[in-house]
């Protein structure tokens, strides 16, 4: 098993998670988040790394 990481980007709106997307690089996740920034005043975007083993077995 490898220690490969993916990057999780979650969209939170009014305290509820609306969508979760996975990216293979941090750059891709940050580009996606930058496109959505400023769309709505209550939209919060979180980006964090996670081991790929948590996504796929």
């Amino acid at each position: 098993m490898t220690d490969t990481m993916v990057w999780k980007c979650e969209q939170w709106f009014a305290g509820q998670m609306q969508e979760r997307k996975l990216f293979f690089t941090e750059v891709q996740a940050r580009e996606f988040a930058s496109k959505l920034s400023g769309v709505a005043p209550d939209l919060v975007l979180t980006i964090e790394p996670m081991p790929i083993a948590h996504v796929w077995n």
Side-chain angles (χ1 to χ4, degrees):
M1 178 170 285
T2 64
D3 292 332
T4 304
M5 301 294 279
V6 292
W7 291 83
K8 174 176 66 172
C9 181
E10 294 179 339
Q11 300 172 39
W12 291 81
F13 187 75
Q16 295 184 0
M17 189 186 53
Q18 300 296 311
E19 188 173 358
R20 176 182 296 142
K21 291 192 175 272
L22 298 175
F23 299 91
F24 288 109
T25 67
E26 182 180 8
V27 172
Q28 290 173 327
R30 295 205 179 275
E31 285 176 353
F32 176 77
S34 70
K35 290 177 185 175
L36 292 178
S37 66
V39 170
D42 290 346
L43 182 65
V44 176
L45 299 163
T46 61
I47 298 172
E48 64 182 284
M50 62 186 292
I52 201 166
H54 291 183
V55 181
W56 296 284
N57 303 9

